[in-house]
């Protein structure tokens, strides 16, 4: 029988090792901090160190097929020549998720500047990786703008960040940085003439529009001659105008560094020395060494554009107001007071410094301080269909409809589902229920779920916030589906908060059995139909129902935890044993898991095109052999609909099906199927796939996934068949 686990293990190990070695040979990341002349100590390298006895790795050639990666542009020559668009990796780096919220809020905003270990770490692997402990952000509801940063000339955001940020309504910016001695050479060439300034601005705009992100942070950390500062203004102005005409709603933000006189001198406020740049772009990121007096002055100088002033806060705390770190909220409180925006730099501090007790808990605690100070920035979902499996884009397994298809660590931030608005509780002595996204517990879909664990008294209930939404419904009924796995005495329902056209608020509870006691508490109680899938999803129960909402707006989606009514307690109360009724309120263990939620209209059912409706091709097909005689395969699989709209299908799961003829006299055929990964574009590259001797054929199955969370049956999905025997 074909050992496909061995095949996959060799495939993953070889593709990661080979590409890491080649990539690190040319893409070297500095680890000093953004914008500051003060630097922090370098982080230990995670790169593969070659033995001195090994031959040096070949230079990285982006035109040659290899495992898709994200990488920056490091020279003006490469920017000018547009060589990036000739790269094999270029099409893999185009984001596929459009921004879900075009309107930019007219209020103080939060900008988050990434700078995590120099950039392009685990997130550079476009098709995902094998490290479940990657850095990730999931508090998107607290963010308006996300900037991806590295200390390279042109930092292009990996598509995983753009995909997941856009899904949550957050704009994404790349970074243009000129710094140190090399940056001085860059600046001289950039602003040598008005024409050169315009040309480089147009190249940057072209990259942003083509790759699908929303603009640029411009950080000139070097001075320019006073006679050329006018051309620097031309660069910023032309970049802003070109971005706006090419991509309405895009942003160009200037960093507080060079003054209008061309001198590198951080002002730590908006004033007459940097306002000319502010006036020709969409905002200014003010350096971190400000005081409360500077904030007040900046707001006054900005006038009716004070929301476009983003006062910097360095989470590492180097000279920043309030000290950053666990006191970042001190600075936020001051900025809120003066009604300006905030630019939070390096929130990866929590991850990089290994804050206890673990990254998940520390990250939730740190962002809870941001929420307490600033409040929620984003409300979602806003459109139907709505689907979330609470996946954070990393985990220890992957499931599909309750059945595990991958049992090893993984990451792919593009796979993040809409992230819940969970409130953080750090009270270890609390006798109520803890709510958290859980990677260890088996999931219904993807690699995450929401787990409810704690104690709950009989007769009590517990409400947990999941989403703050703005779902304006029409006259058609909505169809609700959610999956639950729980102990017998632990039940979970959905509580919808709705606002009518007359601004009346009502609560609709969707929950199974034991809900009579809630009829007086909520406006409407609906018992859904239960669908058990014991064959494919042991332990999971899928609840589904339809509700007529009559033009209401769903403003909140909550989980309600409760216990079924105890027959013994009912009998005791009816018999008049008041002391027994007290006993029934003793806290008892509660445990339940919420797997996913779908809300859609009755007309939004998924209709998947037939397999024959797709054109599936193999490109860059390459067969080689290893020293043991096994065949090695490299191939890029591409697919497209012959007719129709692929935007309805945001994700594709890739499976491999291997056929091997058994060596027995009957020559019985063995067929094994395994999950390879997920992509959010119409291509998947396979590198160094080690195929054991005796394999007859390989079938690559492209499972089409819909926006409502449903997936096409594997047997009806498009596929690519490759003959192995005669290669």
């Amino acid at each position: 029988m074909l050992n496909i686990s061995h095949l996959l293990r060799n495939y993953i190990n070889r593709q990661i090792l080979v590409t890491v070695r080649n990539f690190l040979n040319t893409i070297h990341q500095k680890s000093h901090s953004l914008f500051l002349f003060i630097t922090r100590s370098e982080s230990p390298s995670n790169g593969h160190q070659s033995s001195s006895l090994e031959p040096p790795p070949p230079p990285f050639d982006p035109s040659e097929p290899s495992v898709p990666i994200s990488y920056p542009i490091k020279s003006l020559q490469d920017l000018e020549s547009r060589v990036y668009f000739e790269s094999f990796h270029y099409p893999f780096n185009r984001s596929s998720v459009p921004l879900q919220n075009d309107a930019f809020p007219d209020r103080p905003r939060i900008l988050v500047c990434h700078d995590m270990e120099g950039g392009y770490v685990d997130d550079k692997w476009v098709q995902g990786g094998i490290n479940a402990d990657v850095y990730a952000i999931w508090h998107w509801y607290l963010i308006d703008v996300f900037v991806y940063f590295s200390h390279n000339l042109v930092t292009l955001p990996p598509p995983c960040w753009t995909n997941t940020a856009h899904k949550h309504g957050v704009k994404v910016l790349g970074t243009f940085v000129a710094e140190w001695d090399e940056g001085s050479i860059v600046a001289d060439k950039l602003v040598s003439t008005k024409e050169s300034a315009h040309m480089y601005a147009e190249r940057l705009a072209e990259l942003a529009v083509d790759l699908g992100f929303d603009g640029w942070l411009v950080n000139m950390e070097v001075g320019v001659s006073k006679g050329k500062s006018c051309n620097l203004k031309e660069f910023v102005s032309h970049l802003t105008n070109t971005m706006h005409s090419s991509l309405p709603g895009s942003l160009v933000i200037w960093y507080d560094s060079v003054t209008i006189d061309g001198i590198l001198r951080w002002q730590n406020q908006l004033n007459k020395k940097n306002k000319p740049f502010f006036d020709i772009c969409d905002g200014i990121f003010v350096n971190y060494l400000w005081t409360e007096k500077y904030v007040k002055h900046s707001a006054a100088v900005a006038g009716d554009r004070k929301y476009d002033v983003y006062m910097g806060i360095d989470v590492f705390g180097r000279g920043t107001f309030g000290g950053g770190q666990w006191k970042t909220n001190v600075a936020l409180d001051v900025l809120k007071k003066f009604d300006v925006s905030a630019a939070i730099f390096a929130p990866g501090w929590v991850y990089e410094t290994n804050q206890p007790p673990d990254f998940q808990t520390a990250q939730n605690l740190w962002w809870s301080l941001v929420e307490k100070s600033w409040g929620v920035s984003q409300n979602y979902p806003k459109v139907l269909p709505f689907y979330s499996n609470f996946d954070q884009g990393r985990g220890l397994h992957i499931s599909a409809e309750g059945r595990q298809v991958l049992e090893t660590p993984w990451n792919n931030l593009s796979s993040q589902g809409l992230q819940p608005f969970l409130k953080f509780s750090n009270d270890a002595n609390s006798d109520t229920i803890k709510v958290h996204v859980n990677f260890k517990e088996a999931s219904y879909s993807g690699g995450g779920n929401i787990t409810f664990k704690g104690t709950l008294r009989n007769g009590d209930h517990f409400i947990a916030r999941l989403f703050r939404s703005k779902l304006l419904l029409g006259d058609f009924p909505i169809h609700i589906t959610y999956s639950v796995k729980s102990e017998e005495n632990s039940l979970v329902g959905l509580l919808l908060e709705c606002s009518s056209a007359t601004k009346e608020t009502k609560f609709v509870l969707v929950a199974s059995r034991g809900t009579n006691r809630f009829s007086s508490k909520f406006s409407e109680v609906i018992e859904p139909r239960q669908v058990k899938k014991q064959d494919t999803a042991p332990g999971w129960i899928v609840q589904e129902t339809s509700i007529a909402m009559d033009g209401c707006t769903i403003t909140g989606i909550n989980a309600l935890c409760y216990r079924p009514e105890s027959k013994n307690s009912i009998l005791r109360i009816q018999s008049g044993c008041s002391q027994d009724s007290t006993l029934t309120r003793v806290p008892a263990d509660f445990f339940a898991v919420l797997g996913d939620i779908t809300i859609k209209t009755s007309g939004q059912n998924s209709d998947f095109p037939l397999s024959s409706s797709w054109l599936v091709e193999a490109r860059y097909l390459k067969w080689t052999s290893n020293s043991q005689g096994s065949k090695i395969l490299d191939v890029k699989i591409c697919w497209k609909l012959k007719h129709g709209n692929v935007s309805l299908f945001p994700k594709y799961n890739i499976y491999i099906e291997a056929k091997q003829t058994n060596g027995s006299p009957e020559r019985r055929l063995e067929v094994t199927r395994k999950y390879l990964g997920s992509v959010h574009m119409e291509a998947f590259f396979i590198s160094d796939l080690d195929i054991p001797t005796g394999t007859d054929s390989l079938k690559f199955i492209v499972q089409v996934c819909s926006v409502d969370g449903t997936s096409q049956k594997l047997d009806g999905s498009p596929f690519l068949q490759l003959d192995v025997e005669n290669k």
Side-chain angles (χ1 to χ4, degrees):
M1 180 177 178
L2 174 64
N3 186 344
I4 200 153
S5 296
H6 171 75
L7 181 152
L8 286 173
R9 185 165 57 251
N10 285 346
Y11 158 59
I12 292 172
N13 289 341
R14 291 185 61 165
Q15 72 169 358
I16 296 296
L17 180 61
V18 171
T19 310
V20 165
R21 185 177 62 185
N22 292 346
F23 181 78
L24 290 178
N25 187 56
T26 54
I27 309 299
H28 173 66
Q29 307 301 329
K30 299 178 183 179
S31 62
H32 47 267
S33 171
L34 167 66
F35 311 140
L36 289 177
F37 42 86
I38 306 170
T39 63
R40 64 175 181 265
S41 60
E42 290 195 356
S43 303
S45 171
N46 293 323
H48 171 69
Q49 298 293 327
S50 298
S51 166
S52 59
L53 299 178
E54 295 178 355
F60 173 69
D61 184 351
S63 67
E64 289 296 316
S66 62
V67 179
I69 58 171
S70 298
Y71 63 93
I73 296 174
K74 305 184 74 171
S75 71
L76 281 181
Q77 180 181 352
D78 285 350
L79 177 62
E80 180 178 354
S81 67
R82 304 176 70 251
V83 68
Y84 182 83
F85 295 107
E86 300 171 10
S87 167
F88 170 81
H89 304 269
Y90 150 63
F92 290 94
N93 278 277
R94 303 179 73 183
S95 65
S96 57
V97 179
L99 184 64
Q100 296 300 306
N101 182 17
D102 292 332
F104 206 42
D106 187 26
R107 54 161 173 75
R109 312 172 192 117
I110 284 189
L111 176 152
V112 169
C113 194
H114 159 264
D115 185 48
M116 224 299 296
E117 295 183 349
Y120 300 106
V121 191
D122 292 281
D123 52 6
K124 68 174 171 280
W125 305 110
V126 177
Q127 295 179 172
I130 57 176
N131 177 19
D133 297 321
V134 299
Y135 177 71
I137 288 176
W138 52 91
H139 296 84
W140 294 106
Y141 54 91
L142 304 177
I143 303 172
D144 295 293
V145 182
F146 175 79
V147 179
Y148 191 83
F149 176 83
S150 78
H151 287 276
N152 292 281
L153 179 65
V154 180
T155 297
L156 305 171
C160 61
W161 286 107
T162 308
N163 285 338
T164 191
H166 277 184
K167 193 178 300 181
H168 294 86
V170 176
K171 294 179 187 288
V172 176
L173 308 185
T175 313
F176 181 82
V177 177
E179 58 186 356
W180 315 118
D181 293 342
E182 185 179 348
S184 296
I185 299 173
V186 166
D188 288 343
K189 187 173 182 180
L190 176 76
V191 301
S192 60
T193 65
K194 177 180 177 180
E195 290 73 24
S196 66
H198 283 197
M199 181 269 292
Y200 288 119
E202 290 166 7
R203 294 291 188 271
L204 291 176
E206 179 186 30
L207 283 163
V209 173
D210 197 276
L211 296 179
F213 58 94
D214 307 293
W216 295 96
L217 171 67
V218 178
N219 179 27
M220 298 295 294
E221 294 276 358
V222 292
V224 298
S225 62
K226 188 172 183 180
K228 298 295 184 181
S229 60
C230 58
N231 287 341
L232 184 56
K233 283 185 63 179
E234 282 290 338
F235 170 71
V236 176
S237 176
H238 194 64
L239 176 60
T240 304
N241 293 335
T242 306
M243 284 299 312
H244 288 178
S245 61
S246 303
L247 183 66
S250 56
L251 298 176
V252 173
I253 294 179
W254 173 258
Y255 182 71
D256 164 31
S257 51
V258 174
T259 67
I260 192 60
D261 298 320
I263 301 171
L264 176 60
R265 186 169 296 159
W266 300 270
Q267 299 300 300
N268 302 300
Q269 61 182 309
L270 178 64
N271 60 23
K272 64 181 181 180
K273 293 184 179 181
N274 53 27
K275 189 172 183 291
F277 293 108
F278 174 75
D279 291 339
I280 57 177
C281 67
D282 299 300
I284 186 170
F285 186 144
V286 175
N287 194 50
Y288 316 100
L289 307 180
W290 47 264
T291 63
E292 189 167 338
K293 178 182 177 181
Y294 283 0
V295 179
K296 182 178 181 180
H297 178 73
S298 298
V301 171
D304 59 3
R305 287 191 62 201
K306 60 184 177 180
Y307 301 154
D308 296 333
V309 177
Y310 299 85
M311 303 297 294
I313 306 172
D314 178 13
V315 182
F316 276 82
R318 294 152 294 198
T320 202
F321 186 94
Q325 303 183 13
W326 292 110
K327 295 182 179 180
T328 298
N329 56 305
V330 174
L332 287 172
D333 290 343
V334 171
L335 303 184
K336 191 79 170 179
K337 172 183 173 182
F338 290 103
D339 218 24
V340 296
S341 294
I344 300 175
F345 171 68
W349 168 83
V350 176
Y351 182 93
E352 291 190 63
T353 58
N354 297 312
Q355 291 297 302
D358 56 75
F359 173 53
Q360 187 85 2
T361 305
Q363 173 100 320
N364 287 333
L365 174 57
W366 189 88
W367 281 100
S368 73
L369 301 177
V370 175
E371 180 177 358
K372 183 178 180 181
S373 173
W374 206 263
V376 170
S377 294
Q378 302 282 350
N379 289 326
Y380 56 78
K382 295 182 179 180
V383 295
L384 295 180
F386 155 63
Y387 176 77
S388 181
N389 59 5
F390 321 114
D391 196 325
Q392 286 188 358
R394 61 200 185 103
L396 304 174
H397 65 268
I398 291 178
S399 297
E401 295 187 336
R403 179 177 61 87
Q404 283 199 6
V405 297
L406 183 70
E407 299 177 357
T408 55
W410 66 280
N411 68 76
N412 186 343
L413 295 184
S414 284
S415 294
Q416 268 200 12
L418 277 177
Q419 293 301 295
F421 295 53
L422 300 183
K423 290 185 177 180
F424 178 76
S425 173
N426 200 31
D427 184 2
N429 299 317
S430 174
D431 62 355
T432 187
I433 292 173
K434 298 291 190 300
V435 185
H436 67 283
V437 172
N438 192 342
F439 302 125
K440 296 181 180 179
E441 192 68 30
S443 301
Y444 183 77
S445 173
N449 57 68
I450 296 180
T451 296
F452 307 87
K453 186 177 182 180
T455 58
L456 191 66
R457 299 174 186 271
N458 284 341
D460 288 352
H461 64 273
F462 174 84
I463 297 175
R465 178 186 72 179
L466 298 182
F467 296 97
R468 285 179 49 169
S469 56
K470 284 186 178 180
L471 282 173
L472 178 60
L473 307 177
D475 297 329
F476 295 101
I478 59 170
H479 186 72
I480 299 176
T481 305
Y482 64 100
S483 57
V484 176
K485 179 188 282 189
S486 66
E487 302 289 349
E488 180 64 26
N489 65 345
S490 305
L491 299 177
V492 175
L494 294 183
L495 182 63
L496 306 181
E497 184 176 352
C498 308
S499 176
S500 70
T502 58
K503 304 302 180 182
E504 295 181 71
T505 299
K506 69 174 184 177
F507 292 89
V508 178
L509 175 63
V510 180
S512 63
R513 64 191 181 92
T515 57
N516 290 336
R517 65 182 183 271
F518 295 121
S519 58
S520 61
K521 297 180 182 296
F522 304 120
S523 309
E524 190 174 357
V525 178
I526 297 172
E527 185 169 339
R529 182 173 71 93
Q530 296 187 11
V531 180
K532 293 185 178 181
K533 297 186 176 183
Q534 295 297 346
D535 294 339
T536 58
W540 288 97
I541 295 177
V542 177
Q543 313 271 15
E544 59 181 28
T545 190
S546 293
I547 309 174
M549 300 299 286
D550 299 327
C552 288
T553 298
I554 298 179
T555 57
I557 303 172
N558 309 285
L560 184 138
C561 301
Y562 67 104
R563 294 191 177 283
E565 295 177 346
S566 167
K567 294 182 180 179
N568 290 335
S569 65
I570 294 173
L571 290 173
R572 288 171 180 167
I573 293 171
Q574 288 177 343
S575 66
C577 299
S578 59
Q579 67 274 24
D580 287 341
S581 66
T582 302
L583 293 176
T584 64
R585 295 184 59 79
V586 174
D589 290 342
F590 186 98
F591 182 82
V593 178
L594 181 63
D596 65 353
I597 302 174
T598 303
I599 302 178
K600 59 184 180 181
T601 65
S602 55
Q604 290 179 319
N605 295 322
S606 297
D607 293 319
F608 294 104
L610 297 174
S611 175
S612 58
S613 302
W614 296 84
L615 178 64
V616 186
E617 298 178 314
R619 298 178 185 173
Y620 302 100
L621 185 64
K622 179 182 177 183
W623 296 94
T624 55
S625 298
N626 62 17
S627 58
Q628 288 77 38
S630 296
K631 295 181 176 65
I632 306 297
L633 174 64
D634 288 18
V635 63
K636 178 181 178 181
I637 304 170
C638 304
W639 55 93
K640 64 179 180 179
L641 268 177
K642 297 175 183 176
H643 306 283
N645 183 9
V646 296
S647 65
L648 300 174
F649 311 117
K651 176 181 171 183
Y652 304 90
N653 297 323
I654 312 300
Y655 290 80
I656 183 173
E657 188 174 274
K659 294 183 180 180
Q660 183 181 43
T661 303
N662 193 303
S664 64
E666 297 84 5
R667 292 185 61 79
R668 183 165 52 89
L669 191 67
E670 301 279 1
V671 179
T672 312
R673 180 185 290 167
K674 281 286 185 178
Y675 171 86
L676 281 182
S678 298
V679 289
H680 296 74
M681 60 176 296
E682 289 71 51
F684 188 78
F685 186 74
I686 296 169
S687 175
D688 295 310
L689 183 63
D690 192 345
I691 305 168
T693 303
T695 304
D696 297 326
S697 66
L698 297 174
K699 181 180 180 181
F700 296 98
I701 302 172
V702 180
Q703 185 182 39
V704 184
C705 304
S706 177
V707 290
D708 65 0
T710 57
S711 302
Q712 191 168 18
K713 298 298 182 184
L714 286 174
D715 290 340
S717 297
F719 64 89
L720 173 71
Q721 188 91 30
L722 291 181
D723 178 47
V724 177
E725 189 174 17
N726 299 320
K727 298 299 181 184

